[in-house]
Amino acid sequence: MNKDNPFISSNRFDIYDSKSRFKWLSIFLAVFIGFASIFYTNILVSQLKEREQRLIQLYARTLEYTINESGESNLGFIFQEIIVNNNSIPVIVTDAEGTPLTYRNIDFRNIRSENTRNLFLKTEVEAMKALHEPLMIRFLDDNGVVTDRQFVYYKNSKLLDRLRYYPYIQLSIIGIFGILAYLTFNYSKTAEQNRIWVGLAKETAHQLGTPISSLIAWLEYFRTDDGFSDKSSIPELEKDIHRLEMITSRFSSIGSVPMLSYENITEAIKGTIEYLQKRVSNKVKFEIQALPIDIRAKINRPLFDWVIENLCKNAIDAMSGAGNIYINIRRSTDGNVIIDVTDTGKGIANSKFKQVFQPGYTTKTRGWGLGLALVKRIVEVYHRGKIFVKSSEPGRGTTFRIILKV
């Protein structure tokens, strides 16, 4: 357990670190099951294909036998049981020149014309020739001399073709259901997180209301009390109380649709930095660059100030209370407002660029990992913008980029 806070386990956020591994493990298992299914089905297809080839060979030998041994009494039975009962494998028998003579299990698709049917049969013969080598039927005279030849062409049965494509269809259906289940789970999880965010924020605003009212009353008391000598501290106290009121307003805005208005982004950021500068170490230097000076965008001022404040406080922590923070404001070629917040801190590993915005992710001993999660929510949900880690180098610093769309 953490000594500073007994309610926080030392590995309290391991789930966020291992979430990616669980995801890759699930993907690996899904791919393994898919390939196993395809491999097993291909074995069945291969066995069925060999069986059909043996059946066609038997079919051809039977035809040859019935042609050359017409005197046998059991030929009718053989013909009926082997040749006529083939009701699954498409077969075309041709003469030596390739002209179709007889066929079985050929789907003519309602072709009625004899010429068109013959053309269709020839096309099928070519397709069958590409799939399998034809089987030859020999016509023998009484001396066993070959007098003529016919050829048996065939292709896979519909059952074999369906079985060949079945695992891919099966995997596609499973994949679609998997994606739908994943999206449903993510939506319900996000909705639940949103309810927690809103409840926590509004309860915090409610709890702050009472001490703020008390502080306002005490400030009025000190202002009118002649015995209070340090009157010069009253304006600074007023600023802090105003800040607390603004923080309460921020928490109250979570879960509601904030009102956006066109504001001078440069002036808004300067106001936040001026407040922070007096309350952080003098070893932290801020530098704001804006071109042009008057860059406007639609923002909710209290929430936007919260974004800049959180980014700067994270930067100060990353620099251990000493370093430079550069804020660059400009318009992109498409008219959007781009804000880069750069520090000279310890940097972020590339693998953590997305994780830093997850609720609960933190590298601080006392941190809850909510600051950047709130920043992302304010920028992307309430302002319809975008925030991401533009660049970072361990030991040299990090740049966060905010894009406010116009």
Side-chain angles (χ1 to χ4, degrees), residues 254 303-304 306-307 310 373-385:
I254 299 295
L303 293 178
F304 182 75
W306 199 0
V307 169
N310 263 305
L374 280 169
V375 164
K376 186 175 180 68
R377 182 181 179 86
I378 291 169
V379 172
E380 298 189 354
V381 176
Y382 295 138
H383 289 83
R384 304 297 181 189

Side-chain angles (χ1 to χ4, degrees), residues 231-378:
K231 299 291 184 180
S232 62
S233 63
I234 289 179
E236 289 303 317
L237 290 172
E238 285 180 329
K239 288 181 182 179
D240 285 333
I241 290 174
H242 175 70
R243 193 70 177 178
L244 285 172
E245 289 177 329
M246 187 171 65
I247 291 171
T248 304
S249 173
R250 291 171 179 172
F251 279 109
S252 297
S253 300
I254 299 295
S256 306
V257 179
M259 297 297 295
L260 304 181
S261 59
Y262 277 104
E263 299 274 356
N264 187 320
I265 301 298
T266 306
E267 292 301 321
I269 292 176
K270 281 183 177 179
T272 303
I273 298 305
E274 285 173 4
Y275 176 83
L276 285 174
Q277 185 71 80
K278 296 178 181 179
R279 289 159 177 80
V280 298
S281 170
N282 56 12
K283 295 180 180 180
V284 177
K285 304 299 181 184
F286 293 91
E287 183 179 329
I288 301 175
Q289 297 176 341
L291 189 68
I293 299 297
D294 188 9
I295 299 178
R296 294 181 177 269
K298 265 192 171 185
I299 60 170
N300 179 278
R301 182 65 179 268
L303 293 178
F304 182 75
D305 288 346
W306 199 0
V307 169
I308 301 302
E309 183 180 329
N310 263 305
L311 288 176
C312 290
K313 285 184 176 179
N314 273 282
I316 293 168
D317 289 334
M319 299 186 302
S320 301
N324 298 323
I325 297 177
Y326 304 97
I327 301 177
N328 183 275
I329 312 163
R330 62 184 176 87
R331 280 200 183 277
S332 63
T333 54
D334 54 4
N336 294 330
V337 177
I338 296 177
I339 304 161
D340 288 338
V341 180
T342 304
D343 62 58
T344 55
K346 57 189 177 183
I348 303 171
N350 290 349
S351 59
K352 305 293 184 183
F353 278 12
K354 292 184 178 180
Q355 280 185 271
V356 296
F357 294 105
Q358 291 178 351
Y361 179 85
T362 182
T363 57
K364 294 183 287 188
T365 305
R366 294 174 177 269
W368 284 93
L370 300 179
L372 288 178
L374 280 169
V375 164
K376 186 175 180 68
R377 182 181 179 86
I378 291 169

Side-chain angles (χ1 to χ4, degrees), residues 68 140-145 147:
N68 295 300
L140 305 176
D141 59 15
D142 295 338
N143 299 319
V145 178
T147 59

Side-chain angles (χ1 to χ4, degrees), residues 95-205:
D95 59 19
E97 285 74 32
T99 302
L101 300 174
T102 61
Y103 53 84
R104 288 194 62 78
N105 307 314
I106 300 298
D107 182 10
F108 285 103
R109 301 187 184 97
N110 299 320
I111 298 175
R112 296 179 181 275
S113 168
E114 188 67 29
N115 291 333
T116 306
R117 183 175 295 184
N118 289 333
L119 288 175
F120 180 77
L121 284 173
K122 289 181 179 180
T123 303
E124 284 290 289
V125 166
E126 293 300 320
M128 291 176 177
K129 188 187 296 185
L131 288 174
H132 303 287
E133 283 291 327
L135 301 176
M136 185 173 62
I137 302 173
R138 299 171 302 169
F139 286 75
L140 305 176
D141 59 15
D142 295 338
N143 299 319
V145 178
V146 177
T147 59
D148 198 1
R149 290 182 178 85
Q150 291 182 355
F151 294 92
V152 177
Y153 294 88
Y154 68 100
K155 64 180 181 179
N156 299 333
S157 65
K158 289 183 178 180
L159 175 62
L160 183 59
D161 286 335
R162 288 170 183 169
L163 187 60
R164 186 188 300 275
Y165 295 110
Y166 172 74
Y168 301 101
I169 297 172
Q170 182 186 38
L171 289 176
S172 300
I173 294 173
I174 292 173
I176 291 171
F177 275 105
I179 292 171
L180 291 176
Y182 177 79
L183 293 176
T184 303
F185 173 76
N186 266 12
Y187 176 79
S188 62
K189 182 181 177 182
T190 302
E192 183 181 0
Q193 288 178 344
N194 288 340
R195 288 194 294 270
I196 294 172
W197 280 116
V198 172
L200 176 63
K202 292 191 177 297
E203 179 62 23
T204 303

